[in-house]
Amino acid sequence: MTGKLYGVGLGPGDPELVTVKAARLIGEADVVAFHSARHGRSVAKTIAQPYFRDDQIMEQLIYPVTTEDTDDYQGEIDQFYEEAAARLAAHLDAGRNVVVLAAGDPFFYGSYMHMHKRLADRYEWEVVPGVTSVSGASAVLGTPLVERDEVLTILPGTLPPAELAERLKNTDSAAILKLGRTFGNVKQALENAGRLDNAWYVERATTGRQKTSPLADVDPDTVPYFSLALLPSHSKPGAAKGEVTVVGLGPGHTAWLTPEARRELAAADDLVGYTTYLDRVADRPGQTKHASHNQVESERAAFALDLARKGKRVAVVSSGDPGVFAMATAVLEVAAEQPDVPVKIIPGVTAANAVAAKAGAPLGHDYAVISLSDRLKPWDVIAERLEAAAKADLVIAIYNPASKARTHQVHDMRDLLLQHRAPETPVVVGRDVGGPEEEIRVGTLETLDPDTIDMRCLLIIGSSQTIVTDAGVVFTPRRYPS
């Protein structure tokens, strides 16, 4: 009968923070395994020392290399893990229960996980969670990590500084681990993100060697690996009041709403938009929605800017991408008349890209985007642009093709394009893409029935190179014949 494998979390350093269960399992184990560097000292062993028995077998797993002294760190460390797992397997095969000690939590940047991956499919196992270093640091600072709807981000200091800074800009609270030699880059990333003033440094939390201080005051040459940076609850600088953000919701499916758009919607005091689009945004306590109908873009923009002047953080919602026949231009036009309110644009998945993806890749080469709506520009201009795009052999994405008040445009477009395109030119009709009544139809320019097209449709007219496969997949090759 084989033994049982235990991954036992010990907490951040104070032996009294070892859980009752962890202490019992350590005391009962036949074999206690722990990792250490080549100097032989082990943080995990030191924490667990009070719970050892004299007759236990101790397996010291000594890391053979560091990233500084080898050109093949990953290869050598993988070989080490294989050999260490084999040593533990020998004990398990002999019927001995093995406890692998892990500072903090076994599955939180811990060494135990590498043993687990190699042994858990062959032996009975159990993982005992431990207090993480992040929780320990928060406790010794006496400050909450997160409250209510705040988001906590855990980051390794080994990330490139630019990526680290970008992630730090967009989170409420954060903990950055794996400091030591990365500290300089971490400090620079915090400064670039505008978060350095609120960052705290915690070294060896909950131990007798514990240190805490504002991170800006720390000497990089004194920072050990067992330290972390913490941005606690309410550390994010308050967003400037009195601003308007125009947010693209995408074509309809919630999966197409970007993380950036979600954050802006959540942070807004007021939401402004066309009723249908506002209904797609979940109600949140403390937010106010201001709905209006679809043909008052300028009035809607002016209303949003007035709210911002009163100190509100306003999100103007728009379907698809707000810069494509949508609210971004309307807001910027009105804001330009009195440029006292900052306006930010958050992109979204466009209807053209959504329909194209559902059909295949019809926009894989050069293409034009044209709206058939003549409410804001004369039909003669639209016709000229359609003809120019057709003569240039561009794929054409058609927005706003028809409505109850506009019924001739699709007929006229088809007749005009047939003067320059072959009757068998592929046409994709996407209706309610991303919505509950989604439909994708693939046909030809000659067989396009204008009476089946409404405002919920987007059309993609192929070029001479656009292909429809036997399976109905539409794509336009990237190479054009010479």
Side-chain angles (χ1 to χ4, degrees), residues 47 80 87 144 159 190 194 198 423 426 472 476:
I47 299 171
F80 161 69
R87 288 168 60 185
L159 286 177
L190 284 161
N198 294 316
T476 303

Side-chain angles (χ1 to χ4, degrees), residues 33 50 59 83 141 166 180 214 302 311 325 338 381 418 420:
E59 279 287 359
E83 294 171 356
L141 287 174
E166 191 62 31
F325 303 122
Q338 186 179 343
V381 171
L418 280 170
H420 305 280

Side-chain angles (χ1 to χ4, degrees), residues 142-194:
T143 182
L145 283 171
V146 278
E147 298 180 29
R148 298 183 63 190
D149 297 330
E150 290 180 330
V151 174
L152 170 66
T153 302
I154 306 294
L155 297 164
T158 50
L159 286 177
E163 181 179 351
L164 198 56
E166 191 62 31
R167 290 176 182 266
L168 289 167
K169 288 178 186 176
N170 298 311
T171 188
D172 300 302
S173 304
I176 311 171
L177 287 72
K178 301 178 183 289
L179 295 188
R181 60 187 176 81
T182 72
F183 182 82
N185 287 341
V186 170
K187 184 176 181 180
Q188 187 62 55
L190 284 161
E191 185 170 10
N192 293 345

Side-chain angles (χ1 to χ4, degrees), residues 47-68:
I47 299 171
Q49 191 84 43
Y51 308 106
F52 292 162
R53 297 192 329 265
D54 292 338
D55 59 342
Q56 289 174 308
I57 300 171
M58 294 289 161
E59 279 287 359
Q60 185 173 9
L61 309 175
I62 302 174
Y63 287 110
V65 291
T66 67
T67 54
E68 286 84 6

Side-chain angles (χ1 to χ4, degrees), residues 277-309:
Y277 303 151
L278 274 184
D279 288 344
R280 288 168 49 188
V281 181
D283 293 332
R284 292 176 64 88
Q287 278 186 337
T288 304
K289 288 184 175 180
H290 307 273
S292 53
H293 65 80
N294 200 29
Q295 295 186 342
V296 291
E297 288 92 346
S298 295
E299 294 88 340
R300 187 182 303 139
F303 178 75
L305 291 163
D306 284 342
L307 283 174
R309 291 187 183 101

Side-chain angles (χ1 to χ4, degrees), residues 125-139:
W125 58 268
E126 183 176 352
V127 175
V128 181
V131 178
T132 69
S133 58
V134 176
S135 298
S138 173

